[in-house]
Tab-separated table of all heavy atoms in Angstrom:
chain	number	residue	atom	x	y	z
H	1	THR	N	95.650	127.397	85.040
H	1	THR	CA	95.102	128.681	85.260
H	1	THR	C	94.929	129.420	84.027
H	1	THR	O	95.621	129.169	82.947
H	1	THR	CB	96.130	129.511	86.079
H	1	THR	OG1	97.382	129.547	85.476
H	1	THR	CG2	96.356	128.887	87.502
H	2	ALA	N	93.791	130.191	83.931
H	2	ALA	CA	93.397	130.934	82.770
H	2	ALA	C	94.491	131.925	82.496
H	2	ALA	O	95.053	132.504	83.305
H	2	ALA	CB	92.102	131.610	83.002
H	3	ASP	N	94.660	132.140	81.180
H	3	ASP	CA	95.499	133.301	80.713
H	3	ASP	C	94.803	134.606	81.361
H	3	ASP	O	93.566	134.720	81.346
H	3	ASP	CB	95.449	133.365	79.270
H	3	ASP	CG	96.344	134.419	78.632
H	3	ASP	OD1	96.181	135.593	78.917
H	3	ASP	OD2	97.224	134.017	77.878
H	4	GLY	N	95.533	135.558	81.832
H	4	GLY	CA	95.078	136.728	82.449
H	4	GLY	C	94.011	137.433	81.649
H	4	GLY	O	92.917	138.002	82.256
H	5	LYS	N	94.021	137.539	80.393
H	5	LYS	CA	93.049	138.190	79.544
H	5	LYS	C	91.700	137.521	79.504
H	5	LYS	O	90.787	138.046	78.954
H	5	LYS	CB	93.623	138.475	78.148
H	5	LYS	CG	93.816	137.369	77.288
H	5	LYS	CD	94.564	137.720	75.991
H	5	LYS	CE	95.031	136.538	75.238
H	5	LYS	NZ	95.779	137.006	73.990
H	6	TYR	N	91.617	136.326	80.041
H	6	TYR	CA	90.324	135.541	79.945
H	6	TYR	C	89.757	135.268	81.310
H	6	TYR	O	88.766	134.638	81.483
H	6	TYR	CB	90.464	134.180	79.263
H	6	TYR	CG	90.999	134.318	77.860
H	6	TYR	CD1	92.301	133.759	77.451
H	6	TYR	CD2	90.344	135.151	76.834
H	6	TYR	CE1	92.735	133.855	76.155
H	6	TYR	CE2	90.821	135.251	75.626
H	6	TYR	CZ	92.037	134.579	75.160
H	6	TYR	OH	92.414	134.800	73.907
H	7	THR	N	90.398	135.804	82.438
H	7	THR	CA	89.900	135.573	83.732
H	7	THR	C	88.461	136.036	83.990
H	7	THR	O	87.823	135.510	84.828
H	7	THR	CB	90.848	136.120	84.850
H	7	THR	OG1	90.945	137.585	84.618
H	7	THR	CG2	92.223	135.506	84.760
H	8	PHE	N	88.065	137.099	83.222
H	8	PHE	CA	86.688	137.578	83.379
H	8	PHE	C	85.644	136.849	82.511
H	8	PHE	O	84.471	137.121	82.665
H	8	PHE	CB	86.665	139.019	83.136
H	8	PHE	CG	86.939	139.258	81.643
H	8	PHE	CD1	85.834	139.378	80.688
H	8	PHE	CD2	88.161	139.281	81.032
H	8	PHE	CE1	86.001	139.579	79.229
H	8	PHE	CE2	88.322	139.535	79.709
H	8	PHE	CZ	87.317	139.635	78.851
H	9	LEU	N	86.077	136.037	81.591
H	9	LEU	CA	85.309	135.592	80.554
H	9	LEU	C	84.521	134.310	80.877
H	9	LEU	O	85.072	133.453	81.418
H	9	LEU	CB	86.085	135.297	79.273
H	9	LEU	CG	85.509	134.926	77.996
H	9	LEU	CD1	84.355	135.839	77.548
H	9	LEU	CD2	86.535	134.743	76.905
H	10	SER	N	83.195	134.247	80.501
H	10	SER	CA	82.375	133.114	80.852
H	10	SER	C	81.347	132.923	79.658
H	10	SER	O	81.077	133.965	79.028
H	10	SER	CB	81.657	133.203	82.123
H	10	SER	OG	80.703	134.246	82.114
H	11	SER	N	80.854	131.844	79.522
H	11	SER	CA	79.804	131.508	78.408
H	11	SER	C	78.609	132.398	78.773
H	11	SER	O	77.993	132.872	77.811
H	11	SER	CB	79.427	130.094	78.286
H	11	SER	OG	80.442	129.368	77.944
H	12	SER	N	78.228	132.392	80.006
H	12	SER	CA	76.993	133.220	80.362
H	12	SER	C	77.124	134.716	79.996
H	12	SER	O	76.234	135.394	79.588
H	12	SER	CB	76.586	133.068	81.813
H	12	SER	OG	77.659	133.455	82.684
H	13	MET	N	78.440	135.203	80.249
H	13	MET	CA	78.681	136.569	79.896
H	13	MET	C	78.566	136.813	78.343
H	13	MET	O	77.937	137.789	77.928
H	13	MET	CB	80.054	137.040	80.351
H	13	MET	CG	80.458	138.440	80.120
H	13	MET	SD	82.068	138.893	80.620
H	13	MET	CE	81.848	138.686	82.345
H	14	VAL	N	79.046	135.838	77.588
H	14	VAL	CA	78.986	135.968	76.132
H	14	VAL	C	77.568	135.899	75.658
H	14	VAL	O	77.163	136.688	74.844
H	14	VAL	CB	79.783	134.860	75.508
H	14	VAL	CG1	79.471	134.794	73.977
H	14	VAL	CG2	81.335	135.110	75.634
H	15	ARG	N	76.722	134.993	76.311
H	15	ARG	CA	75.305	134.949	75.922
H	15	ARG	C	74.672	136.279	76.247
H	15	ARG	O	73.885	136.785	75.364
H	15	ARG	CB	74.670	133.837	76.635
H	15	ARG	CG	74.989	132.484	76.185
H	15	ARG	CD	74.070	131.330	76.849
H	15	ARG	NE	73.984	131.443	78.224
H	15	ARG	CZ	74.729	130.735	79.086
H	15	ARG	NH1	75.701	129.991	78.698
H	15	ARG	NH2	74.468	130.899	80.457
H	16	GLU	N	74.883	136.896	77.356
H	16	GLU	CA	74.219	138.108	77.795
H	16	GLU	C	74.663	139.235	76.812
H	16	GLU	O	73.827	139.998	76.373
H	16	GLU	CB	74.583	138.446	79.175
H	16	GLU	CG	73.974	139.648	79.696
H	16	GLU	CD	72.483	139.344	80.095
H	16	GLU	OE1	72.023	138.228	80.087
H	16	GLU	OE2	71.777	140.379	80.340
H	17	MET	N	75.995	139.295	76.500
H	17	MET	CA	76.424	140.317	75.592
H	17	MET	C	75.786	140.157	74.193
H	17	MET	O	75.445	141.129	73.540
H	17	MET	CB	77.995	140.304	75.567
H	17	MET	CG	78.597	140.711	76.761
H	17	MET	SD	80.459	140.497	76.681
H	17	MET	CE	80.838	141.779	75.457
H	18	ALA	N	75.709	138.901	73.779
H	18	ALA	CA	75.164	138.670	72.333
H	18	ALA	C	73.665	139.063	72.365
H	18	ALA	O	73.301	139.574	71.314
H	18	ALA	CB	75.278	137.159	72.001
H	19	MET	N	72.961	138.840	73.482
H	19	MET	CA	71.556	139.236	73.527
H	19	MET	C	71.421	140.700	73.314
H	19	MET	O	70.305	141.134	72.712
H	19	MET	CB	70.929	138.817	74.902
H	19	MET	CG	70.857	137.319	75.130
H	19	MET	SD	69.364	136.610	74.651
H	19	MET	CE	68.368	137.166	76.018
H	20	TYR	N	72.289	141.460	73.819
H	20	TYR	CA	72.249	142.984	73.509
H	20	TYR	C	73.143	143.524	72.472
H	20	TYR	O	73.413	144.659	72.372
H	20	TYR	CB	72.558	143.602	74.865
H	20	TYR	CG	71.456	143.339	75.902
H	20	TYR	CD1	71.686	142.246	76.836
H	20	TYR	CD2	70.325	144.029	75.927
H	20	TYR	CE1	70.565	141.924	77.724
H	20	TYR	CE2	69.257	143.714	76.851
H	20	TYR	CZ	69.526	142.697	77.722
H	20	TYR	OH	68.423	142.424	78.655
H	21	GLU	N	73.490	142.534	71.609
H	21	GLU	CA	74.293	142.871	70.302
H	21	GLU	C	75.531	143.609	70.668
H	21	GLU	O	76.044	144.499	69.891
H	21	GLU	CB	73.385	143.624	69.408
H	21	GLU	CG	72.196	142.820	69.008
H	21	GLU	CD	71.183	143.593	68.208
H	21	GLU	OE1	71.447	144.659	67.715
H	21	GLU	OE2	70.110	143.018	67.857
H	22	ALA	N	76.200	143.247	71.783
H	22	ALA	CA	77.447	143.856	72.132
H	22	ALA	C	78.649	143.170	71.188
H	22	ALA	O	78.395	142.033	70.682
H	22	ALA	CB	77.862	143.592	73.588
H	23	ASN	N	79.777	143.844	71.093
H	23	ASN	CA	80.808	143.297	70.299
H	23	ASN	C	81.489	142.113	70.976
H	23	ASN	O	81.886	142.142	72.135
H	23	ASN	CB	81.865	144.393	70.135
H	23	ASN	CG	82.976	144.048	69.228
H	23	ASN	OD1	83.128	142.906	68.871
H	23	ASN	ND2	83.809	144.957	68.880
H	24	LEU	N	81.543	140.972	70.205
H	24	LEU	CA	82.070	139.745	70.730
H	24	LEU	C	83.593	139.493	70.309
H	24	LEU	O	84.151	138.399	70.571
H	24	LEU	CB	81.249	138.545	70.294
H	24	LEU	CG	79.762	138.611	70.791
H	24	LEU	CD1	79.037	137.295	70.346
H	24	LEU	CD2	79.708	138.702	72.416
H	25	ASP	N	84.161	140.468	69.591
H	25	ASP	CA	85.565	140.315	69.144
H	25	ASP	C	86.450	140.084	70.341
H	25	ASP	O	86.351	140.725	71.398
H	25	ASP	CB	86.032	141.571	68.479
H	25	ASP	CG	85.315	141.796	67.063
H	25	ASP	OD1	84.689	140.779	66.558
H	25	ASP	OD2	85.376	142.866	66.380
H	26	GLY	N	87.314	139.121	70.130
H	26	GLY	CA	88.353	138.803	71.233
H	26	GLY	C	87.729	137.918	72.382
H	26	GLY	O	88.406	137.689	73.346
H	27	LEU	N	86.431	137.530	72.303
H	27	LEU	CA	85.821	136.743	73.308
H	27	LEU	C	85.470	135.293	72.799
H	27	LEU	O	85.526	134.397	73.738
H	27	LEU	CB	84.507	137.396	73.786
H	27	LEU	CG	84.681	138.825	74.325
H	27	LEU	CD1	83.365	139.437	74.640
H	27	LEU	CD2	85.695	138.973	75.497
H	28	VAL	N	85.078	135.181	71.595
H	28	VAL	CA	84.743	133.936	70.979
H	28	VAL	C	85.565	133.621	69.853
H	28	VAL	O	85.936	134.554	69.034
H	28	VAL	CB	83.241	133.817	70.828
H	28	VAL	CG1	82.464	133.975	72.098
H	28	VAL	CG2	82.846	134.775	69.736
H	29	PRO	N	85.693	132.343	69.390
H	29	PRO	CA	86.387	132.026	68.086
H	29	PRO	C	85.584	132.729	66.899
H	29	PRO	O	84.398	132.689	66.907
H	29	PRO	CB	86.358	130.592	68.014
H	29	PRO	CG	86.118	130.068	69.411
H	29	PRO	CD	85.333	131.179	70.135
H	30	ASN	N	86.385	133.225	65.945
H	30	ASN	CA	85.783	133.903	64.814
H	30	ASN	C	84.970	132.931	64.031
H	30	ASN	O	83.915	133.328	63.395
H	30	ASN	CB	86.824	134.460	63.878
H	30	ASN	CG	87.546	135.701	64.483
H	30	ASN	OD1	86.863	136.495	65.167
H	30	ASN	ND2	88.711	135.884	64.164
H	31	GLU	N	85.253	131.603	64.058
H	31	GLU	CA	84.492	130.650	63.281
H	31	GLU	C	83.059	130.462	63.768
H	31	GLU	O	82.294	129.999	62.934
H	31	GLU	CB	85.141	129.255	63.419
H	31	GLU	CG	86.575	129.101	62.911
H	31	GLU	CD	87.620	129.410	63.972
H	31	GLU	OE1	87.385	130.092	64.941
H	31	GLU	OE2	88.764	129.085	63.683
H	32	ILE	N	82.722	130.947	64.954
H	32	ILE	CA	81.441	130.763	65.448
H	32	ILE	C	80.656	132.028	65.882
H	32	ILE	O	79.582	132.039	66.350
H	32	ILE	CB	81.362	129.736	66.685
H	32	ILE	CG1	82.083	130.274	67.760
H	32	ILE	CG2	81.914	128.378	66.192
H	32	ILE	CD1	81.963	129.574	69.135
């Protein structure tokens, strides 16, 4: 089971947020 703080998180959500230049801190590894 996912850690509670990641239950909302998906790659598609990250892609959408990145398209609109939203803050990705705490969502993706800093390395990438």
Side-chain angles (χ1 to χ4, degrees):
T1 55
D3 185 302
K5 63 185 172 186
Y6 302 122
T7 56
F8 69 93
L9 186 56
S10 68
S11 293
S12 57
M13 183 181 297
V14 166
R15 288 191 309 270
E16 186 74 12
M17 291 176 67
M19 294 266 288
Y20 293 95
E21 301 176 6
N23 184 351
L24 301 180
D25 290 346
L27 304 178
V28 299
N30 288 329
E31 296 90 343
I32 65 166

